[in-house]
């Protein structure tokens, strides 16, 4: 196994004038009445990643990592919008990796298979494989611990558990999302698919994929934030929440899934700024977006389906 | 449980697995190919001749593959 060859995506680019004007016009036309407080503009027109499905996002201090199905590992620096991509090497031929997580020591972890945890170097090399005693179907991180979804889900019990990367089988239940009952064993898996967003401090927002409620947990305290307003006509009711970034204890950016697929895939179509469970503002995005790259109280940077970065500002 | 009873259960396992799929209220619209792949995988599990635990382990792998398929369709970005 050799280290992946660096494939720089180029440095931060500025949009051409025509593209910028077009986008501004589309953004203006696309704003809803309630979205008056939000505006968007393109901040990087050079694609940071290919169109390949993103199967994991890890948030390290000052850096965001993305892993896609083509097994490209992309590093984005939100402060400068610089990005670089490396081909990941070291996965076995029969492996279908999933998930990406950055622990407090800035090591990056993924699941090459349901029963294997592995560390990725920043150049995309798979190192430090660790067998897992129980299959894991989702991987996130909070602080120095990995957040794992063991399979099969158990009805009425936490769907997520944490462990130190060094001892992945010593799991501690993560209170918050509980396994939901299903009419059949097959539905048990489908109804308990979990996703998590970007943390604020020690609090991580997670949700069941068909729910309009996010559950914020710090491992001890749990808060449930219901967001029925997400269920609008232009939102996908099977998987309404695409991504969430907690920006303060009571505030979050919520990317809702468009009812229209883009190239056969789900994509974010509307962005909400939420406080205490109430929408402060929302914006019909000028470009469908895949996920949140970075966020704070004033802005939210999104990766579009074409690989560009757009910034939504709260006024 | 008598040996004949165990044999009968093992013989009926393929039927039970197929019934599990047919009777489920799974939502094909969600990720139709995932469900059809799972049905085929269960069929292969039922046809294994390594004993009931081999079938069970293979069936769990089917479910993990199903989960991978659905999460790519729903969670993948």
């Amino acid at each position: 196994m050799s280290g992946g060859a660096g494939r720089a995506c180029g440095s931060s680019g500025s949009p051409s004038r025509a593209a910028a004007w077009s986008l501004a016009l589309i953004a203006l036309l696309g704003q809803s009445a309630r979205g008056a407080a939000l505006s968007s503009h393109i901040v990087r027109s050079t694609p940071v990643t290919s169109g390949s499905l993103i199967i994991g996002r890890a948030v390290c201090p000052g850096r965001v990592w993305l892993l896609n199905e083509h097994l490209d590992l992309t590093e984005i620096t939100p402060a400068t919008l610089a990005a670089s991509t490396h081909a990941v090497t070291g996965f076995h031929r029969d492996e279908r990796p999933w998930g990406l997580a950055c622990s407090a020591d800035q090591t990056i972890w993924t699941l090459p298979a349901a029963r294997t945890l592995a560390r990725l170097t920043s150049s995309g090399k798979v190192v430090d494989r660790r067998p897992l005693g129980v299959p894991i179907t989702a991987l996130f991180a909070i602080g120095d611990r990995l957040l794992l979804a063991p399979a099969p889900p158990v009805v009425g019990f936490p769907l997520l558990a944490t462990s130190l990367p060094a001892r992945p089988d010593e799991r501690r239940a993560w209170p918050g999302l509980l396994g939901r009952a299903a009419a059949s064993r097959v539905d048990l898996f489908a109804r308990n698919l979990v996703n998590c967003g970007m943390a604020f401090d020690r609090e991580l927002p997670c949700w069941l994929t068909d729910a309009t409620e996010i559950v914020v947990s710090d491992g001890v305290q749990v808060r449930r934030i219901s967001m029925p307003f997400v269920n609008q006509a232009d939102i996908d009711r099977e998987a309404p929440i695409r991504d969430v970034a907690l920006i303060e204890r009571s505030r979050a950016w919520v990317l809702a899934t468009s009812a229209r697929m883009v190239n056969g895939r789900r994509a974010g179509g509307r962005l909400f700024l939420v406080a205490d469970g109430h929408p402060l503002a929302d914006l019909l995005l000028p470009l469908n977006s895949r996920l949140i790259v970075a966020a704070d109280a004033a802005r939210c940077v999104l990766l579009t389906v074409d690989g560009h970065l757009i910034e939504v500002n709260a006024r | 449980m008598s040996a004949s009873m165990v044999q009968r259960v093992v013989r009926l396992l393929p039927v039970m697995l197929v019934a599990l799929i047919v009777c489920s209220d799974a939502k094909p619209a969600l990720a139709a190919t995932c469900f059809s792949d799972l049905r085929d995988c269960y069929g292969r599990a039922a046809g294994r001749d390594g004993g009931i635990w081999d079938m069970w382990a293979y069936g769990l792998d089917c479910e993990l593959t199903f989960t991978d398929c659905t999460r790519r369709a729903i969670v993948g970005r």
Side-chain angles (χ1 to χ4, degrees), chain A residues 36-293:
Chain A
L38 301 180
S39 62
S40 69
H41 62 284
I42 197 162
V43 288
R44 179 178 161 127
S45 58
T46 312
V48 297
T49 183
S50 71
S52 175
L53 187 77
I54 293 171
I55 56 175
R57 174 193 56 196
V59 182
C60 290
R63 282 181 298 178
V64 175
W65 298 88
L66 305 175
L67 179 64
N68 67 21
E69 264 189 341
H70 284 169
L71 306 183
D72 292 325
L73 182 67
T74 297
E75 177 186 9
I76 302 172
T77 307
T80 61
L81 303 176
S84 62
T85 297
H86 297 270
V88 178
T89 58
F91 286 127
H92 299 162
R93 192 172 295 170
D94 60 342
E95 290 179 332
R96 281 174 61 80
W98 182 259
L100 201 64
C102 177
S103 69
D105 62 0
Q106 302 206 35
T107 51
I108 308 165
W109 299 87
T110 189
L111 296 165
R115 294 182 177 88
T116 309
L117 178 70
R119 186 167 65 82
L120 294 181
T121 66
S122 57
S123 61
K125 191 174 178 183
V126 178
V127 292
D128 202 5
R129 286 172 170 270
R130 295 172 191 198
L132 298 169
V134 168
I136 300 296
T137 57
L139 172 69
F140 310 97
I142 185 76
D144 61 350
R145 300 182 75 84
L146 299 177
L147 194 62
L148 316 161
V154 180
V155 177
F157 285 84
L159 291 171
L160 294 167
T162 66
S163 71
L164 293 170
R167 292 187 291 280
D169 283 333
E170 293 179 16
R171 294 183 304 279
R172 186 189 299 165
W174 178 262
L177 293 172
L178 301 178
R180 293 186 297 186
S184 70
R185 174 131 173 126
V186 176
D187 264 357
L188 184 68
F189 287 85
R191 277 177 54 80
N192 287 297
L193 275 180
V194 176
N195 204 358
C196 292
M198 298 171 81
F200 174 73
D201 199 8
R202 293 283 304 173
E203 292 195 320
L204 186 70
C206 298
W207 61 95
L208 291 159
T209 55
D210 64 350
T212 56
E213 177 187 78
I214 60 171
V215 177
V216 178
S217 175
D218 62 2
V220 180
Q221 302 288 326
V222 176
R223 291 185 289 126
R224 294 173 193 282
I225 303 174
S226 181
M227 296 187 294
F229 52 85
V230 168
N231 264 339
Q232 300 188 8
D234 58 351
I235 301 303
D236 175 8
R237 292 186 178 230
E238 283 188 346
I241 299 175
R242 191 106 285 260
D243 205 357
V244 175
L246 212 56
I247 48 175
E248 290 170 16
R249 194 173 179 281
S250 61
R251 279 191 180 220
W253 292 98
V254 177
L255 179 62
T257 312
S258 171
R260 284 188 307 110
M261 295 251 186
V262 180
N263 301 326
R265 283 196 205 140
R266 290 182 162 85
R270 187 176 287 273
L271 186 71
F272 292 85
L273 178 59
V274 178
D276 296 318
H278 301 288
L280 294 180
D282 71 274
L283 179 71
L284 183 63
L285 294 170
L287 299 169
N288 285 107
S289 297
R290 301 164 79 171
L291 52 77
I292 299 172
V293 171

